[in-house]
Amino acid sequence: MTILFLFTIFILACFIGYFVVWGVTPALHSPLMSVSNAISGIVIVGALYVAAYSDNLAISEILSISAVFLASVNIFGGFAVSERMLAMFKKKDNKNA
Amino acid sequence: MLNIELFLIYLLVSILFIVAIRGLSRPNTALLSNRLGMTGMLLAIISTMFVLPEQNHILILIAIFAGALIGIMSAIKVKITALPQMVAVFNGLGGLSSTLVAFAQMKNMQTQYLDISLSVAIGTIAFMGSMIAYLKLQGNFAKILRKLPFHNVFNLALFIIMIFSWGNFLVYSTIDSLFYLMCFALLWSVAVTMPVGGADMPIVVSVLNACSGFAATAVGFSVSNVALIITGAIVGASGTILTFIMTKAINRSLLEVLFYNQTKDEVLKDIKDKTVRSASPEDAAFILENSSKIIIVPGFGMAASEAQFALKNMAFVLKNKYGASVKFAIHPVAGRMPGHMNVLLAEAGIDYEDVFEMDDINPEFRTADVAYVIGANDITNPAAKTLKTSPLYGMPVLDVYKAKTVFFVKRTLGTGYSKTDNPLFFADNTMMIFGDAKKVTENIVKDLEQG
């Protein structure tokens, strides 16, 4: 039952994604890529679970802590890059100066 | 392990992410949407940490802070021209993270093996593909590597072996068989991405973007976490749609992009005898001074020589001193990532209201006095419309040939990525301005300011 429940959520989320992404203006496709890239770092939550239930110095601990680290680079780097890109798209007050 | 409060927080996080993507529909809400994304992510991390047992907390925090430091530092330091590479690297790290989580679970607890194998396979492809894309975008590979002998046979064989090793894992479910699956996914992603040329990079990067999303979904299934499933699905959808838009914009299927590297260049041989009119920046400045409607068409050459600032100055002088209307026309696949040109123009401070997508600007070339094509070629080739034998045939292009005068700023008469001659170079209303995109534009600006 759980798997069907999760699968339902997955399919519905695909539909939401489909409609939301088509609404993104083509001018912002680069930021779309880097923002979506940053939020795909949500995999850190999975890494945290596995890390928290691993024994000390077990291989799974090393792997999951590394996963936390990598996802963290992905998240913070991704949002920072997006922030830089989007700041450039801010409407200029002194339009032609 | 999963209480109701946490479940509701994950729901909130998912909603924040959806709204964040939605906010990218307009430039003036875009910055806010990035902040919403950050809020959602912080909420997810903190609340998860809060409910987990104290074990390993210190190590986890160190890992997060080290990652944050490296991520933010590299994002701040990277030059705007190197953005496509940076995005590819971050994307790859996310993929690798999914792979590692899956391996850690193998060692740790018993879960559904299908989810684990998918996390490993997709995550590995996202990781390795992104690393190759990064190296290629940096220009680290010689052209020789683009053509392996029996390339497609080799790829297909690797793919079949990879599927076989996947089946092997599903049957035996040992850590060794999972490791084999990872190795073949590594090899296959290298073999597929290596021969893809620079101009097709936006497509590859989009595909890998989708992969890292679906890898997160697979991890979400294996830890039964809805936030991962929903977010992964949205990222996957985003990458898939970008891929669709890009492949449509070059009128080739994804399979053709990945497995068919065209070599034809015999089209239009007869045109070689025709003469080309070349112009100096001074000539161009003179014509621009007397024009009232100018459309600028940037391509990768503009990015390569960082001519966007010079272009901004040119547009500024033309507008304010000569009262001309200046617009920018963007082809969907111009540059090395989706929307690459828009970012560079925005960097130079060009108002996004002056920047137009292909379908909006195409009807306007007919009334334009000058089309200023800078560092672009294939995306303006009229043979794509008229010549059935052209490899570009059927690809939507910018109708620059309809403008009264067309300037091409190029270093040589060479062909573009498609290796197809552009008949527009030899047209009566075309003038070639040979030289570096940035220097040529700067010289034109100098003349315009004096004239």
Side-chain angles (χ1 to χ4, degrees):
Chain A
M1 189 55 212
T2 327
I3 186 76
L4 273 182
F5 168 72
L6 294 176
F7 189 69
T8 308
I9 287 179
F10 170 63
I11 295 297
L12 290 180
C14 284
F15 274 90
I16 293 176
Y18 179 86
F19 290 114
V20 170
V21 171
W22 272 116
V24 174
T25 169
L28 294 177
H29 275 164
S30 285
L32 165 67
M33 219 168 57
S34 77
V35 170
S36 65
N37 178 216
I39 65 174
S40 75
I42 188 76
V43 71
I44 198 171
V45 170
L48 289 174
Y49 274 115
V50 182
Y53 292 103
S54 300
D55 298 329
N56 267 333
L57 294 173
I59 293 180
S60 62
E61 186 194 27
I62 300 168
L63 289 174
S64 53
I65 299 275
S66 316
V68 169
F69 168 72
L70 293 171
S72 171
V73 177
N74 184 192
I75 292 166
F76 287 91
F79 280 122
V81 161
S82 314
E83 187 80 7
R84 257 185 89 182
M85 280 192 217
L86 290 170
M88 300 188 304
F89 280 95
K90 262 209 314 217
K91 192 117 174 73
K92 307 286 176 299
D93 294 330
N94 41 353
K95 218 174 167 181
N96 286 317
Chain B
M1 162 162 141
L2 193 75
N3 53 34
I4 292 178
E5 289 88 344
L6 193 60
F7 193 90
L8 291 177
I9 286 176
Y10 286 151
L11 179 61
L12 179 62
V13 169
S14 310
I15 293 172
L16 281 171
F17 288 163
I18 292 169
V19 176
I21 301 285
R22 177 71 200 155
L24 292 173
S25 55
R26 277 179 303 149
N28 44 356
T29 54
L31 208 50
L32 177 70
S33 69
N34 198 38
R35 308 266 162 82
L36 287 178
M38 292 181 196
T39 313
M41 190 60 80
L42 275 181
L43 197 59
I45 296 175
I46 293 171
S47 55
T48 307
M49 291 286 288
F50 199 72
V51 296
L52 288 175
E54 291 281 315
Q55 190 186 355
N56 283 336
H57 254 182
I58 309 263
L59 264 178
I60 289 174
L61 282 176
I62 292 174
I64 292 179
F65 279 111
L69 193 70
I70 293 175
I72 293 175
M73 286 309 284
S74 37
I76 290 175
K77 277 203 182 140
V78 69
K79 282 174 68 187
I80 295 290
T81 38
L83 273 184
Q85 292 94 300
M86 195 82 249
V87 174
V89 170
F90 289 146
N91 192 47
L93 296 183
L96 184 58
S97 179
S98 306
T99 306
L100 295 185
V101 174
F103 267 99
Q105 273 181 298
M106 256 321 259
K107 278 280 175 191
N108 204 26
M109 40 186 132
Q110 303 295 311
T111 37
Q112 299 92 334
Y113 291 115
L114 181 64
D115 306 340
I116 286 193
S117 62
L118 286 176
S119 314
V120 167
I122 306 175
T124 305
I125 291 170
F127 165 64
M128 205 55 213
S130 301
M131 290 304 131
I132 300 290
Y134 161 75
L135 290 171
K136 289 191 74 115
L137 287 165
Q138 286 279 53
N140 283 3
F141 288 124
K143 278 223 165 110
I144 308 162
L145 283 171
R146 284 192 50 189
K147 290 245 156 53
L148 297 165
F150 305 113
H151 168 72
N152 284 342
V153 182
F154 185 65
N155 271 355
L156 187 68
L158 262 181
F159 181 74
I160 292 170
I161 297 174
M162 184 177 79
I163 296 296
F164 182 76
S165 69
W166 183 38
N168 183 51
F169 170 74
L170 290 180
V171 174
Y172 296 105
S173 309
T174 59
I175 192 108
D176 286 358
S177 53
L178 188 62
F179 186 72
Y180 295 142
L181 173 61
M182 184 189 79
C183 291
F184 287 118
L186 269 180
L187 284 176
W188 188 66
S189 54
V190 172
V192 171
T193 38
M194 194 71 102
V196 176
D200 284 335
M201 270 304 154
I203 298 168
V204 173
V205 173
S206 306
V207 173
L208 296 168
N209 190 220
C211 283
S212 71
F214 288 129
T217 297
V219 174
F221 273 104
S222 67
V223 297
S224 301
N225 185 306
V226 285
L228 264 70
I229 293 177
I230 296 175
T231 312
I234 292 169
V235 176
S238 155
T240 310
I241 290 174
L242 284 177
T243 308
F244 174 77
I245 294 174
M246 302 290 130
T247 48
K248 200 163 163 253
I250 57 169
N251 193 39
R252 287 163 73 203
S253 71
L254 182 58
L255 288 177
E256 281 176 305
V257 170
L258 295 179
F259 302 113
Y260 172 71
N261 303 293
Q262 41 195 206
T263 45
K264 292 183 222 164
D265 57 348
E266 330 176 29
V267 209
L268 297 179
K269 255 182 188 158
D270 53 316
I271 225 164
K272 281 265 154 85
D273 317 322
K274 292 196 180 172
T275 49
V276 166
R277 286 202 299 163
S278 70
S280 67
E282 292 75 33
D283 302 334
F286 178 74
I287 292 174
L288 285 168
E289 279 170 22
N290 297 301
S291 305
S292 58
K293 184 171 176 182
I294 295 142
I295 300 177
I296 298 173
V297 180
F300 181 66
M302 178 197 81
S305 77
E306 292 184 61
Q308 61 268 35
F309 297 96
L311 272 184
K312 195 238 149 127
N313 291 338
M314 189 172 100
F316 177 73
V317 178
L318 285 170
K319 266 189 193 170
N320 291 13
K321 193 170 170 193
Y322 299 98
S325 110
V326 182
K327 291 177 175 175
F328 290 83
I330 313 273
H331 191 278
V333 291
R336 292 292 183 262
M337 65 176 167
H340 193 185
M341 292 297 123
N342 303 78
V343 172
L344 295 175
L345 295 180
E347 181 201 11
I350 291 162
D351 197 325
Y352 58 76
E353 283 173 359
D354 294 336
V355 181
F356 296 84
E357 301 303 318
M358 180 165 66
D359 292 340
D360 299 327
I361 196 83
N362 258 348
E364 299 210 27
F365 281 107
R366 175 189 316 274
T367 55
D369 296 305
V370 172
Y372 187 81
V373 185
I374 175 163
N377 185 355
D378 290 342
I379 58 172
T380 65
N381 195 332
K385 289 197 157 173
T386 51
L387 196 71
K388 282 217 166 95
T389 51
S390 167
L392 294 175
Y393 185 72
M395 162 174 158
V397 290
L398 289 161
D399 294 335
V400 296
Y401 68 94
K402 287 184 180 161
K404 218 175 278 169
T405 307
V406 182
F407 287 121
F408 269 98
V409 184
K410 274 183 111 270
R411 271 170 309 183
T412 61
L413 255 190
T415 56
Y417 170 69
S418 72
K419 303 207 177 71
T420 312
D421 279 319
N422 192 339
L424 204 51
F425 293 170
F426 312 95
D428 292 335
N429 60 338
T430 300
M431 289 190 202
M432 307 294 296
I433 313 173
F434 294 113
D436 174 72
K438 184 177 168 184
K439 280 193 192 121
V440 166
T441 310
E442 278 171 350
N443 286 337
I444 292 177
V445 173
K446 223 177 282 167
D447 265 52
L448 286 174
E449 278 168 347
Q450 290 161 0

